[in-house]
C-alpha cells in the first residue's frame, strides 16, 4: 500500500535501484501505485481474516498435542498387541459405523487410531477416531477427525474457519479472493520499494507518514516471497482457480497418481481405495500390514479396508514432514499378496511440487520450524495491513480520511507496454476468476466515475478521466 510520491525522470542513476528506463518507469509507476493502493484497501479485510485464522491454524498443531495428549499418547510398553486385537477393542467400544481406515501406532508412546465412518452425528466428510493403547488394547477415548492430516476437533474448527468461515462452499470465496490478490499486492509493493531512492527507504530518523511508509516497505520486502508462495499454494486447492490448475495438470499428464485397489490393477489417476468394509474377513489385517512392511513401508501408515469383494487393502505412508513418505501398496485381502505398488519417487514432477507446496503451506513439511515461519508471515501481514490503513489515513489528513490515488495512470503507459500487460492480465483473470472479475468490475466503475468527473470539468491525474 505504498503511497510515495512518483519518482521523476530527472533522478540520478546513483540514487535509484536498478529499474526500467526512467521514461518507462515514470509512466508505469503511477499505474502500479494505483493498483497496489486500491487492491490493498479493498482486499485487506479479507487478507486480515485469512492472516489471523492462518496464524491460529499454524499454532493449532502444537495446541492439539497438548489438548489431546491423553488420546494421542500412551505409556510405552514392551510389546504391541496384534493390530486385529486393537481394532476389535475399538469396535467393542464403538459398534456404530464401519471401519474406514486404521493408523497403527507409529511410535513407542503413540496410540493407534481406528477411524469409523457412518457414525450417527458425524458428517460424511468426517470420521470418528477411536484411540487404542497398542500394548493393552484399552480405548483411551474417541474424537471427531477430519482430513488426511488427521485433524482433531480444535484444528478442524480452525481449519474450516480459515477456509470458509464455517459458511460452506460460498464461504470459500473469501479465502480464494484473498489468495488471488495477495501475490498481486505483494509483487506491486516489492516493485515500488526497489525503485524508490535509497534515502526514501530509511526508517530511522524519520517520522509521521514517511516513517510508516518506510516500516511498511521494509516488512513487506522481507515477507513478500512468503506471501507470493502462500498465494500460489493456496490457489491450488481453491474452488475455481484450483479447478483450472487441476485441469492443466491433467492435460500435462501430471495428475497425482494413486495405487489401484483392484487386484492386479495399474495405477489409477484419481483417488485410492475408499472402502468402508470391515477388517475381519480374509487373511486378516496383520498379514496385510506385514506384506506392506516387507515392501519397505515404514511408519506412519494408514490402512484402508477393501471397498467391496473385488477390492484390495490399500496401505499408504502418511508422513508429511521432510523427508516425505508417500509410498503405497495394494494388498489382496485373501492371500495378503501385494497386487500393486506406487512410489512417491515415481510421481510426476508437478504432483510432487503440489504435495510439497500444500504441506509447506499448512505447516506440516518442516514441523515446528515450518509452523513458526507461517505464524511470522501471518503476523507480518497483519502488521502491513494496519500500517497500510494508517498511511491511507495520513495521506488524507488535510482533505479527509483516505484521499485516493489520482486517476489516469494508464494513459501514460506506452502502447508497446500497455497492450502486452493487458493481455497478460486478461489471461490471468481467466484462469484466476476471483482476480479477473473484481479487477474488471473495478476498472469499469473507475472508468465510469472518471468519465463523469471529466464531463463535469473536474481536474484528474494526467488531465483526463481514467
Amino acid at each position: 500500500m505504498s503511497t510515495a510520491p512518483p519518482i521523476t525522470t530527472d533522478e540520478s542513476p546513483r540514487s535509484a535501484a536498478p529499474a526500467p528506463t526512467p521514461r518507462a518507469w515514470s509512466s508505469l509507476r503511477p499505474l502500479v501505485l494505483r493498483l497496489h493502493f486500491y487492491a490493498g484497501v479493498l482486499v485487506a479485510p479479507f487478507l486480515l481474516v485469512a492472516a489471523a485464522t492462518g496464524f491460529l491454524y499454524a499454532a493449532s498443531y502444537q495446541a492439539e498435542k497438548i489438548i489431546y495428549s491423553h488420546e494421542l499418547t500412551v505409556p510405552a510398553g514392551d510389546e504391541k498387541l496384534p493390530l486385529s486385537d486393537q481394532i476389535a477393542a475399538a469396535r467393542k467400544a464403538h459398534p456404530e459405523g464401519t471401519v474406514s481406515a486404521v493408523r497403527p501406532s507409529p511410535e513407542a508412546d503413540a496410540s493407534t487410531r481406528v477411524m469409523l465412518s457412518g457414525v450417527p452425528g458425524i458428517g460424511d466428510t468426517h470420521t470418528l477416531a477411536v484411540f487404542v493403547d497398542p500394548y493393552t488394547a484399552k480405548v483411551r477415548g474417541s474424537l471427531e477427525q477430519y482430513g488426511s492430516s488427521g485433524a482433531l476437533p480444535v484444528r478442524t474448527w480452525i481449519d474450516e474457519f480459515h477456509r470458509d468461515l464455517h459458511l460452506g462452499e460460498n464461504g470459500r470465496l473469501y479465502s480464494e479472493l484473498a489468495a488471488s490478490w495477495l501475490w498481486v499486492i505483494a509483487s506491486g509493493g516489492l516493485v515500488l520499494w526497489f525503485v524508490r531512492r535509497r534515502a526514501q527507504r530509511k526508517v530511522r530518523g524519520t517520522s509521521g507518514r514517511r516513517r510508516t511508509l518506510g516500516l511498511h516497505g521494509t516488512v513487506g520486502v522481507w515477507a513478500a516471497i512468503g506471501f507470493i508462495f502462500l498465494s500460489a499454494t493456496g490457489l491450488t486447492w481453491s474452488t475455481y482457480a484450483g479447478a483450472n490448475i487441476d485441469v492443466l495438470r491433467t492435460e500435462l499428464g501430471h495428475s497425482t497418481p494413486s495405487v489401484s485397489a483392484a487386484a492386479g490393477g495399474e495405477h489409477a489417476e484419481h483417488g485410492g481405495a475408499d472402502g468402508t468394509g470391515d477388517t475381519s474377513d480374509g487373511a486378516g489385517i496383520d498379514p496385510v500390514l506385514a506384506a506392506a512392511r516387507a515392501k519397505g513401508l515404514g511408519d506412519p501408515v494408514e490402512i484402508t479396508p477393501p471397498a467391496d469383494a473385488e477390492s484390495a487393502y490399500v496401505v499408504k505412508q502418511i508422513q508429511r514432514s521432510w523427508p516425505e513418505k508417500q509410498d503405497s501398496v495394494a494388498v489382496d485381502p485373501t492371500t495378503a499378496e501385494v497386487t500393486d505398488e506406487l512410489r512417491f519417487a515415481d510421481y510426476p514432477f508437478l504432483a510432487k511440487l503440489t504435495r510439497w507446496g500444500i504441506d509447506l503451506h499448512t505447516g506440516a513439511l518442516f514441523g515446528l520450524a515450518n509452523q513458526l515461519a507461517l505464524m511470522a508471515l501471518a503476523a507480518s501481514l497483519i502488521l502491513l495491513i494496519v500500517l497500510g490503513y494508517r498511511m491511507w489515513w495520513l495521506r488524507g489528513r488535510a482533505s479527509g480520511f483516505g484521499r485516493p490515488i489520482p486517476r489516469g495512470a494508464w494513459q501514460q503507459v506506452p502502447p508497446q507496454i500497455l497492450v502486452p500487460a493487458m493481455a497478460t492480465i486478461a489471461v490471468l483473470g481467466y484462469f484466476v476468476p476471483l482476480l479477473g472479475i473484481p479487477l474488471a468490475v473495478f476498472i469499469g466503475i473507475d472508468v465510469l466515475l472518471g468519465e463523469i468527473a471529466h464531463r463535469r470539468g473536474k481536474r484528474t491525474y494526467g488531465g483526463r478521466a481514467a
Side-chain angles (χ1 to χ4, degrees), residues 75-309:
D78 297 326
E79 185 177 353
K80 295 179 180 179
L81 296 172
L83 190 56
S84 55
D85 291 350
Q86 300 174 50
I87 296 172
R91 299 295 287 127
K92 182 178 180 180
H94 293 275
E96 68 275 21
T98 55
V99 176
S100 59
V102 180
R103 295 186 176 186
S105 167
E107 299 170 350
D109 63 346
S111 58
T112 291
R113 294 195 198 191
V114 180
M115 278 79 83
L116 306 176
S117 62
V119 177
I122 302 294
D124 293 339
T125 60
H126 294 217
T127 59
L128 180 68
V130 183
F131 298 85
V132 182
D133 188 323
Y135 302 101
T136 65
K138 291 182 179 179
V139 174
R140 297 182 64 82
S142 59
L143 296 165
E144 190 170 345
Q145 177 179 298
Y146 171 75
S148 59
S149 67
L152 298 178
V154 168
R155 185 152 60 94
T156 297
W157 192 92
I158 296 173
D159 177 27
E160 293 176 350
F161 189 33
H162 177 64
R163 184 174 63 250
D164 59 21
L165 303 178
H166 293 284
L167 297 176
E169 285 300 311
N170 291 332
R172 295 185 67 178
L173 295 176
Y174 112 86
S175 57
E176 184 168 352
L177 178 68
S180 298
W181 280 92
L182 178 57
W183 71 272
V184 176
I185 298 170
S187 299
L190 201 61
V191 170
L192 289 168
W193 175 257
F194 278 108
V195 299
R196 286 176 61 82
R197 287 174 294 185
R198 188 176 300 276
Q200 293 178 318
R201 302 179 195 167
K202 293 181 179 180
V203 177
R204 292 182 180 180
T206 58
S207 61
R209 182 178 175 277
R210 184 174 176 184
R211 180 177 178 81
T212 303
L213 175 60
L215 182 59
H216 178 88
T218 300
V219 175
V221 165
W222 283 104
I225 299 302
F227 294 154
I228 294 171
F229 165 80
L230 290 177
S231 177
T233 52
L235 288 173
T236 58
W237 69 87
S238 61
T239 301
Y240 298 106
N244 290 331
I245 292 171
D246 286 342
V247 170
L248 178 61
R249 287 175 53 202
T250 300
E251 291 178 350
L252 294 174
H254 282 244
S255 295
T256 300
S258 61
V259 70
S260 173
E266 296 295 329
H267 301 328
E269 281 300 312
H270 296 284
D274 188 33
T276 57
D278 211 333
T279 59
S280 58
D281 297 330
I285 198 168
D286 292 292
V288 167
L289 180 57
R293 300 291 195 211
K295 287 293 184 178
L297 271 68
D299 286 323
V301 298
E302 179 176 285
I303 306 170
T304 303
D308 50 49

Side-chain angles (χ1 to χ4, degrees), residues 3-9 23-34 38 192 395 403-413 446 449-451 453-454 457-466:
T3 54
I7 296 177
T8 57
T9 58
R23 180 175 300 176
W25 175 244
S26 64
S27 64
L28 280 173
R29 184 184 180 280
L31 186 62
V32 175
L33 179 59
R34 185 167 169 79
Y38 273 110
L192 289 168
R395 177 181 173 81
R403 183 164 57 91
I405 304 296
R407 295 188 182 93
W410 67 270
Q411 294 177 322
Q412 302 181 43
V413 182
D446 198 46
L449 292 177
E451 197 60 35
H454 175 63
K458 292 183 179 181
R459 183 179 179 183
T460 59
Y461 194 96
R464 282 181 55 84

